Amino acid sequence: MPHHIEVSPPAPGPVVEFAQHVGRLHALLDRAVVSALAGFGFSRGEFDVLVALAARPDGVRPGQLSEGLLLTTGGLSNILRRLQRDELIERLLEPSDRRGRTIRLTDVGWVRARETTIAVYASIERLLKSIDAPSLGEANAHLHFILSNLGEDGPVHRLQNRLGSKPGSD
């Protein structure tokens, strides 16, 4: 006689199925993004920092950047060092607080942010090319609703029309 009782796990249900689908889609999208970034020599974290800075043309303090990207301060410091070494960002003294710094993209940083974003978007479009536009629109609406209700939809819309050109260069 067995020493355990055979109990099958419960069926996942719609919430868990949704999470599984989103998780799998995230893995596929992340693979496409990382592949596109490889040609530029950027990690996913470096790209995320460039994009976040492009959304804040006047600059942002490191603490705000770390919090917004869910990066540790140590991880962010390493990324910022590399981006500064490559002259893609600059660290400026905060006028209101001499101890603080503001991080913003350099002219070269704006170009790299635009180039990498174009490549990443193209990679994502290749991945999803078999999905018709109405289905993507419907999925976007549903995900927007869910994220908004979780208080997490803000970053999705920050870059709209930001990477077309550097602010003030029109």
Side-chain angles (χ1 to χ4, degrees):
M1 184 163 187
H3 293 281
H4 66 280
I5 299 172
E6 263 191 55
V7 178
S8 60
V15 172
V16 173
E17 286 180 1
F18 173 78
Q20 290 170 334
H21 288 298
V22 169
R24 180 68 180 146
L25 180 58
H26 176 266
L28 293 170
L29 290 168
D30 197 55
R31 188 181 304 156
V33 169
V34 169
S35 175
L37 293 174
F40 294 92
F42 285 129
S43 70
R44 178 64 189 253
E46 291 162 342
F47 174 71
D48 289 345
V49 168
L50 285 177
V51 170
L53 290 172
R56 304 281 301 267
D58 293 330
V60 64
R61 296 186 87 167
Q64 295 168 308
L65 197 55
S66 175
E67 184 179 305
L69 294 174
L70 303 176
L71 289 170
T72 65
T73 53
L76 178 61
S77 292
N78 290 334
I79 290 171
L80 293 177
R81 266 194 295 281
R82 179 172 183 269
L83 295 176
Q84 187 173 19
R85 183 195 70 216
D86 293 345
E87 300 180 354
L88 301 176
I89 65 163
E90 55 189 350
R91 298 178 197 221
L92 307 168
L93 284 176
E94 184 80 26
S96 61
D97 176 6
R98 291 286 180 208
R99 294 172 296 144
R101 300 270 182 197
T102 298
I103 311 297
R104 73 174 182 205
L105 293 174
T106 63
D107 289 341
V108 173
W110 276 100
V111 170
R112 297 290 289 197
R114 187 173 195 292
E115 291 170 345
T116 55
T117 301
I118 288 169
V120 165
Y121 286 2
S123 182
I124 292 169
E125 287 178 9
R126 279 191 301 278
L127 175 68
L128 299 175
K129 70 182 174 189
S130 65
I131 313 301
D132 62 276
S135 293
L136 285 173
E138 191 175 324
N140 284 333
H142 288 296
L143 288 171
H144 177 78
F145 173 80
I146 291 166
L147 289 168
S148 293
N149 278 291
L150 295 173
E152 290 291 328
D153 197 37
V156 174
H157 302 290
R158 285 188 194 142
L159 275 186
Q160 289 180 352
N161 303 317
R162 286 285 177 119
L163 289 174
S165 62
K166 182 181 172 196
S169 66
D170 296 329

